[in-house]
Every structure is written in C-alpha cells, then in structure tokens.
Amino acid sequence: GAVVSQHPSWVICKSGTSVKIECRSLDFQATTMFWYRQFPKQSLMLMATSNEGSKATYEQGVEKDKFLINHASLTLSTLTVTSAHPEDSSFYICSARDGGGVTNTGELFFGEGSRLTVL
Amino acid sequence: AQRVTQPEKLLSVFKGAPVELKCNYSYSGSPELFWYVQYSRQRLQLLLRHISRESIKGFTADLNKGETSFHLKKPFAQEEDSAMYYCALGGSYIPTFGRGTSLIVHP
C-alpha cells in the first residue's frame, strides 16, 4: 500500500521557538493532505487541509498564523508550529489521499505521527 | 453537516466474547464509510471500508442506511484486537472521524 512518512517522530523544543514537521508521500502523489492533532486516547482533531499549490484550509479555532502549512509539491507538506508554547505539546499526525487515477479509493494513508513537547 | 458518532469511549471484553463497536453517521448524500485502527505505538491504518464488503481480521461492518449506522463486529475477540478504532466518513470529501473507541480484550 501507499506510504506516508512523517519527520521528526518526536521533538522537544523550548517555549517560543518554532518547529517544522514534514509529511511526505513516498510512492504516490498527494494533492491533498490533512493535518490532525491527537490527544491521548482521544479523537483526531482535524486542524487543516493542505492543498498542493494553494493555501491551506484551516478548521475553526485553529490559528493559521501559529500553525503554518505549506504544500509546495505533490509529495510534501509541512506544518510549522510557530512560537511554540507548552499547550501546543501534542501528537500531530498527517494523512494523505492518493491524488488521482483508478486507485483513488478515498482511503487515507497516515504518517507515523510526531510527538511535540514544548518545555 | 457531516457527523460521526461513536458512543462508546471504551469497550472492555474478555477473549472469545463477541464485540460490537458502534458507529452512527449523519450525512445528506451517499456516504462512504471506513473503519481505521490504531494499535499501540503504530500508525493509524485502514481496517475496512463499506464498499469492499469484506472481512478483515475477522471484523465485518455493514452499512445500514435506514439506521445510518456502520457498526463494527467480530464474533470472537482476540487479545491482539486491543486498539483504538475510529469510524470515518469520507470518500471524495474531507474525512470526518468519530472520537474513537478503545477496545481492550482481556485474556
């Protein structure tokens, strides 16, 4: 099946610094990627939809200036947490859907997730 | 608006017991439904989708449009089934996930 790779898998940073998380589709092109935040034993909270070559669409309540999303190519989307604070500590997950063709079944492929800890 | 409801946050059963994880949805169009599973320390992955009408790892799910449900069932739970299960409404739209149900299967 298709593979989505996320990097880094975990990161610790100081309050006030910025952190970039990368999400790559390794063997398919992803015109759309989704960024989620997951709390322990809880649901996935959709943060934004990342569209290749255009601005991301943010969900209500998500600060777009704080969570910068860039989807510059069909295989890479990045999430930058700017001026991170301890309350931003969480597990961030990206997912992608195959961009097109007969294999576009609607299935989502997920990255491994990135554990962010802000001190 | 799309909505997926998983009423149980936690489901605890003993090995060999039947399991049913409930999922109800709200959607005005023709739904495309999925079950995703997240085992401990692993990424989320697709378990099954309604259009496939297949059984994966002994699990089945039938779409009931009358009851707007897509419950996940397994007749005999195994310890390795312990995981978080997410019901999702998707397809060509922004996917909507339920809050997830944590299934614990005791030996």
Side-chain angles (χ1 to χ4, degrees):
Chain A
V3 177
V4 173
S5 177
Q6 214 173 316
H7 178 82
S9 55
W10 60 269
V11 57
I12 300 173
C13 70
K14 292 183 178 179
S15 186
T17 60
S18 295
V19 173
K20 180 186 283 188
I21 301 170
E22 293 186 347
C23 180
R24 294 181 184 273
S25 56
L26 297 186
D27 50 3
F28 67 100
Q29 294 182 330
T31 54
T32 303
M33 289 185 174
F34 303 97
W35 285 96
Y36 296 90
R37 190 168 172 176
Q38 185 182 39
F39 297 94
K41 296 289 187 182
Q42 293 189 37
S43 185
L44 299 165
M45 185 191 83
L46 178 65
M47 299 175 65
T49 301
S50 173
N51 303 297
E52 187 269 333
S54 64
K55 290 182 179 180
T57 304
Y58 289 83
E59 295 300 300
Q60 192 172 11
V62 178
E63 298 176 60
K64 59 183 178 183
D65 293 331
K66 180 167 191 61
F67 298 99
L68 300 178
I69 291 172
N70 184 280
H71 194 155
S73 77
L74 286 170
T75 59
L76 174 64
S77 175
T78 60
L79 167 68
T80 301
V81 183
T82 62
S83 187
H85 289 283
E87 58 264 30
D88 299 324
S89 298
S90 193
F91 195 58
Y92 294 89
I93 302 175
C94 72
S95 70
R97 181 178 281 149
D98 196 326
V102 295
T103 58
N104 187 359
T105 62
E107 176 184 355
L108 287 172
F109 301 97
F110 288 86
E112 309 95 313
S114 299
R115 170 83 51 200
L116 171 63
T117 301
V118 184
L119 303 177
Chain B
Q2 295 181 199
R3 181 180 293 176
V4 176
T5 303
Q6 291 180 251
E8 304 128 335
K9 195 171 182 179
L10 172 66
L11 191 59
S12 182
V13 301
F14 286 99
K15 177 182 173 181
V19 167
E20 182 179 49
L21 287 78
K22 291 184 167 53
C23 172
N24 288 89
Y25 67 90
S26 173
Y27 181 57
S28 57
S30 182
E32 190 167 340
L33 286 149
F34 304 80
W35 276 99
Y36 289 89
V37 61
Q38 187 176 29
Y39 299 104
S40 180
R41 300 182 186 277
Q42 294 188 30
R43 72 181 73 197
L44 272 150
Q45 57 186 291
L46 179 69
L47 180 62
L48 52 80
R49 71 194 83 181
H50 90 272
I51 58 173
S52 299
R53 302 182 66 83
E54 56 190 348
S55 173
I56 304 293
K57 299 185 178 183
F59 285 98
T60 59
D62 291 316
L63 177 61
N64 186 323
K65 291 186 178 181
E67 296 182 359
T68 59
S69 68
F70 188 56
H71 302 326
L72 183 68
K73 300 177 184 179
K74 185 168 182 176
F76 307 103
Q78 302 299 314
E79 290 178 67
E80 55 265 31
D81 297 327
S82 297
M84 278 292 288
Y85 291 81
Y86 294 94
C87 182
L89 178 63
S92 57
Y93 309 92
I94 295 177
T96 301
F97 283 82
R99 67 169 176 175
T101 299
S102 177
L103 174 64
I104 299 175
V105 182
H106 300 283

